[in-house]
Amino acid sequence: MVNFSEKRAYDCQDLREIVRILRSPGGCSWDGAQTHQSIRRNFLEESYEVAEAIDEGSPEHLREELGDVLLQVVFHASIEEDAGRFNLDDVADGVCKKLIYRHPHVFGDVAVHSTDEILSNWEELKKKEKGQATQADAVDAVARTLPALWRAEKMKKKAAKAGFDWRDISGALDKLSEELDELRAAALSGDGNPIEELGDLLFAAVCVARFLETDPEQALHAACDKFSIRFRRTEQLAAERGLALDKLSDMEQISLWNEAKQI
């Protein structure tokens, strides 16, 4: 039995202590065996669950999921503390210094007149902080681990800051059509790389999303939800008529799908 006193309510310092106990000899053998890499996916999953709680608008669910993310932060910091490289206080120190540095209009004497100006200053300070001499450096620095749609969106935004952008949505739409034609040609003729062309098409679609001021990831999620609803209706229509979807022709399936869209 470890030396730990239960309380009516706990705070962040208690969380640090609980994680330390769990990872120490005599604690939990599973917790003690974990590495950054072994729980990397856990961090990502917990972050997405926070996003789900935000979308639900549930404070109770959000509090729970934020706790799970906080646990991940404390756990990773504990691994580093045991290795003697840094601890949770060093993490807090770093982010505090970053916030002070990137808010000179609050903590310094810089005058700003709009949120756009604040964001512009933030980006410039971030580039200096990370030693990014060019906008291409900023594009390269976009994390490869982001969902691909978000990565593409972020890279395009950074390129646009250097003036490399369509003047309006018509140019982006023309490019989308061009990439679709190139994908069609590569996929049907066998001349070219259809996978590469598919990537170009998706990237072009993200550029269109930027002009529509919509999150491409959310737009695709909405399309997935719509597909799920319509597919269920299509399957139900087929079942009501004693039909098996996999036995129908393409035209028959399309006819049922179109009917489902009207329900």
Side-chain angles (χ1 to χ4, degrees):
M1 179 68 70
V2 298
N3 181 23
F4 183 78
S5 299
E6 294 189 11
K7 299 180 179 180
R8 183 181 62 82
Y10 301 95
D11 57 25
C12 289
Q13 187 55 44
D14 292 317
L15 177 58
R16 279 180 85 172
E17 179 62 11
I18 289 170
V19 170
R20 186 196 66 77
I21 291 171
L22 289 174
R23 297 194 64 256
S24 65
C28 173
S29 58
W30 184 90
D31 289 290
Q34 298 314 300
T35 65
H36 292 308
Q37 195 64 32
S38 70
I39 58 173
R40 175 182 180 275
R41 178 167 173 168
N42 300 55
F43 207 141
L44 293 172
E45 290 177 353
E46 298 297 356
S47 298
Y48 279 115
E49 288 174 13
V50 167
E52 183 178 10
I54 290 172
D55 291 342
E56 286 178 2
S58 168
E60 293 78 13
H61 190 194
L62 179 59
R63 180 179 63 181
E64 176 189 353
E65 300 302 343
L66 285 174
D68 290 342
V69 169
L70 180 59
L71 169 59
Q72 293 296 314
V73 172
V74 172
F75 205 106
H76 282 280
S78 178
I79 292 174
E80 287 300 304
E81 184 170 10
D82 287 348
R85 290 185 285 261
F86 65 78
N87 60 26
L88 190 62
D89 289 331
D90 296 320
V91 174
D93 174 66
V95 75
C96 285
K97 288 175 178 174
K98 180 188 296 184
L99 287 171
I100 293 168
Y101 174 73
R102 294 189 189 175
H103 289 83
H105 57 289
V106 177
F107 299 103
D109 55 5
V110 172
V112 293
H113 304 93
S114 68
T115 54
D116 286 342
E117 202 173 337
I118 290 172
L119 294 175
S120 178
N121 288 346
W122 175 282
E123 287 298 323
E124 287 304 312
L125 290 168
K126 184 176 179 179
K127 284 173 62 178
K128 290 180 182 178
E129 186 180 285
K130 295 183 177 295
Q132 296 169 356
T134 67
Q135 202 60 28
D137 291 339
V139 170
D140 287 343
V142 175
R144 296 180 60 84
T145 48
L146 282 173
L149 293 177
W150 281 351
R151 184 184 177 210
E153 179 191 39
K154 199 165 185 178
M155 291 173 74
K156 195 66 183 73
K157 280 183 178 178
K158 290 185 179 296
K161 290 183 181 299
F164 191 75
D165 200 8
W166 304 109
R167 294 187 181 276
D168 54 46
I169 194 172
S170 63
L173 288 169
D174 288 344
K175 185 62 176 176
L176 183 62
S177 297
E178 176 189 322
E179 296 297 351
L180 177 57
D181 290 341
E182 291 179 5
L183 172 60
R184 186 186 303 277
L188 296 180
S189 70
D191 182 20
N193 186 338
I195 305 303
E196 180 182 346
E197 299 300 343
L198 176 60
D200 291 344
L201 177 67
L202 293 171
F203 193 92
V206 170
C207 294
V208 172
R210 205 173 69 79
F211 279 101
L212 294 175
E213 297 182 349
T214 189
D215 182 336
E217 195 79 17
Q218 289 184 357
L220 184 54
H221 274 302
C224 289
D225 291 340
K226 182 169 63 176
F227 174 83
S228 179
I229 292 169
R230 289 181 178 174
F231 177 75
R232 180 177 295 278
R233 291 172 182 166
T234 301
E235 191 176 52
Q236 288 172 343
L237 286 173
E240 288 167 5
R241 296 166 192 180
L243 303 173
L245 279 178
D246 61 343
K247 302 300 183 184
L248 300 179
S249 67
D250 289 350
M251 292 305 298
E252 288 171 326
Q253 288 186 0
I254 291 171
S255 178
L256 277 179
W257 176 265
N258 288 335
E259 188 176 340
K261 286 170 63 176
Q262 307 305 316
I263 299 175

